[in-house]
């Protein structure tokens, strides 16, 4: 199963809206086949692992797969049928498919056909690989990762707004790898005006750029901003992640600005306004409808506060740089209105690691991971 997990990781960032899955075929004490799901619409991991092996090779073999084999028709035939027809004797599954229309059915079909099935092997690791898919398939909303890069005293910029670069190159490379895997990256209009970020993948080779998402209550973001670069060439918001630009604004936006953005190829959505600005619940709903399964939020203090206040982040990544800026600089998170320690947001399943000279603290807010999905 560990070999299957290694194979699954090769598909991360390439399979949306499908999950990343790996599979290994073992006969006797030898691995005779490996495979992973490469892209939505292409063969699933089980088929890739069995490809090139005849029925004679597969008869009596054991298939290890990180996710329950599918039993329904989609872009490809159900894997359960191929497994049953192959002569494979046993299937070892890491995690059941969280899709409520599928979960457990694949196992039952295999068992009824006489295939021996074991489940929940290295389940935690197998679930972690598909946590984005699990959130999307059960809620039709993207899995939200909030990223914060701050000093030891929780500051993200100097008093004048300068923030390049608080964290080191290893931390930035980590974030670029993550950008290359998620479907979309989101920032607020203030971040666009202050930093003019590209939101592209530059420090990782051979990966595609995510869709770019701007939240702007009055749509004051200029079209000269780097987030709009090449929008006409990337096909707008698009489906299945990929390049494109989304702008979420409110009725305060000028109609002419909205129409011009759409003519350029951007996807513009008018969202309900809240006390914080644009309704982020509305934003996530629209992104889910567009097929965005994972969202990396790289906003400033205000955007981070809004996401945390509404409890909309599933996972939080905090990169801590070994420097101090002081109270006259800009805090990493804006006001949350918390009056006591009991009301504080406490992360779960916390991990601490090093990225160069920085420290990375990552944890879950109590959403999908803590529910075992």
């Amino acid at each position: 199963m560990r070999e299957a997990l290694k194979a699954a990781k090769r598909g991360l960032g390439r399979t949306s809206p499908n999950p990343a899955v790996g599979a290994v075929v073992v006969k006797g004490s030898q691995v005779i086949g490996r495979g992973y799901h490469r892209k939505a619409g292409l063969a699933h991991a089980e088929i890739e692992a069995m490809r090139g092996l005849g029925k004679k090779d597969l008869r009596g073999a054991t298939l290890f797969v990180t996710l329950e084999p599918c039993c329904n028709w989609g872009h490809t035939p159900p894997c359960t049928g191929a497994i049953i027809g192959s002569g494979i004797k046993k299937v070892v599954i890491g995690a059941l498919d969280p899709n409520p229309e599928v979960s457990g059915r694949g196992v039952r079909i295999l068992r009824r056909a006489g295939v021996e099935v074991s489940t929940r092997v290295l389940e935690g690791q197998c679930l972690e690989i598909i946590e984005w898919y699990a959130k999307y398939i059960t809620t039709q909303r993207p899995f939200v990762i909030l990223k914060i890069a701050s000093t030891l005293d929780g500051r993200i910029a100097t008093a004048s707004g300068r923030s390049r670069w608080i964290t080191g190159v290893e931390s930035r490379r980590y974030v670029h790898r993550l950008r290359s895997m998620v479907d979309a990256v989101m920032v607020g209009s203030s971040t666009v005006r202050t930093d003019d970020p590209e939101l592209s993948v530059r420090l990782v080779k051979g990966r595609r750029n995510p869709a770019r998402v701007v939240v702007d209550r009055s749509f004051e973001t200029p079209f000269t901003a780097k987030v709009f670069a090449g929008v006409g060439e990337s096909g707008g918001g698009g489906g299945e992640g990929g390049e494109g630009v989304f702008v979420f604004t409110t009725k305060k936006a000028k109609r002419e600005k909205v129409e011009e953005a759409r003519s350029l190829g951007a996807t513009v959505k008018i969202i309900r306004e809240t006390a914080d600005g644009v309704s982020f619940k509305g934003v996530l709903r629209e992104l889910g409808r567009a097929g965005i399964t994972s969202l990396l939020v790289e906003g400033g203090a205000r955007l981070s506060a809004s996401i945390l206040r509404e409890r909309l982040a599933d996972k939080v990544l905090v990169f801590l740089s070994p420097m101090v800026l002081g109270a006259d600089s800009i805090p990493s998170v804006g006001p949350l209105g918390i009056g006591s320690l009991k009301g504080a947001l406490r992360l779960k399943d916390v991990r601490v690691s090093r990225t160069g000279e920085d420290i990375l603290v990552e944890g879950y807010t109590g959403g999908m991971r803590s529910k075992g999905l």
Side-chain angles (χ1 to χ4, degrees), residues 112-151:
R112 282 200 297 265
V115 179
E116 182 182 349
V117 180
S118 296
T119 61
R120 304 183 189 280
V121 176
L122 297 185
E123 182 182 31
Q125 295 177 53
C126 293
L127 286 172
E128 185 173 2
I129 282 185
I130 64 162
E131 61 187 4
W132 303 350
Y133 164 77
K135 167 73 178 295
Y136 179 75
I137 202 66
T138 55
T139 68
Q140 296 301 299
R141 304 289 187 273
F143 186 90
V144 179
I145 304 168
L146 175 61
K147 181 227 102 179
I148 298 172
S150 79
T151 61

Side-chain angles (χ1 to χ4, degrees), residues 164-359:
R164 294 185 178 179
W165 296 101
I166 283 181
T167 53
V169 65
E170 289 301 321
S171 295
R172 299 199 298 276
R173 187 174 288 115
Y174 184 107
V175 173
H176 278 240
R177 281 197 297 270
L178 187 54
R179 281 184 185 177
S180 75
M181 293 180 183
V182 298
D183 287 345
V185 179
M186 184 170 78
V187 295
S189 57
S190 59
T191 297
V192 175
R193 291 194 297 271
T194 302
D195 296 336
D196 195 17
E198 294 181 29
L199 302 183
S200 60
V201 178
R202 302 180 302 281
L203 302 181
V204 180
K205 295 181 180 180
R207 293 285 188 165
R208 61 101 167 101
N209 289 319
R212 291 155 283 173
V213 181
V214 179
V215 179
D216 189 343
R217 181 193 300 199
S218 302
F219 201 171
E220 298 175 352
T221 303
F223 293 128
T224 54
K226 293 177 182 177
V227 292
F228 285 110
V231 63
E233 303 171 3
S234 59
E240 300 182 8
E243 286 194 69
V245 175
F246 291 87
V247 178
F248 291 96
T249 186
T250 68
K251 291 181 178 179
K252 289 185 176 179
K254 292 181 179 179
R255 180 179 296 179
E256 297 80 7
K257 186 76 174 284
V258 171
E259 291 177 351
E260 184 176 357
R262 287 172 174 164
S263 69
L264 291 173
T267 298
V268 183
K269 296 290 183 179
I270 309 300
I271 303 296
R272 179 176 62 88
E273 186 175 8
T274 67
D276 291 328
V278 178
S279 168
F280 290 106
K281 289 183 179 179
V283 169
L284 295 183
R285 181 175 60 251
E286 292 296 331
L287 288 175
R289 288 174 177 170
I292 300 296
T293 67
S294 52
L295 175 68
L296 176 62
V297 179
E298 295 192 47
R302 182 176 179 181
L303 182 58
S304 296
S306 298
I307 294 290
L308 292 173
R309 190 182 301 114
E310 294 190 47
R311 297 297 196 264
L312 294 178
D314 296 291
K315 189 174 186 178
V316 178
L317 304 180
V318 181
F319 293 87
L320 293 172
S321 171
M323 66 172 69
V324 175
L325 285 179
D328 56 340
S329 53
I330 299 174
S332 60
V333 180
L336 293 177
I338 296 174
S340 67
L341 290 179
K342 290 184 178 180
L345 175 63
R346 192 175 295 274
L347 299 181
K348 300 175 175 62
D349 300 321
V350 175
R351 297 175 185 173
V352 180
S353 58
R354 292 283 297 272
T355 54
E357 293 186 349
D358 304 325
I359 297 172

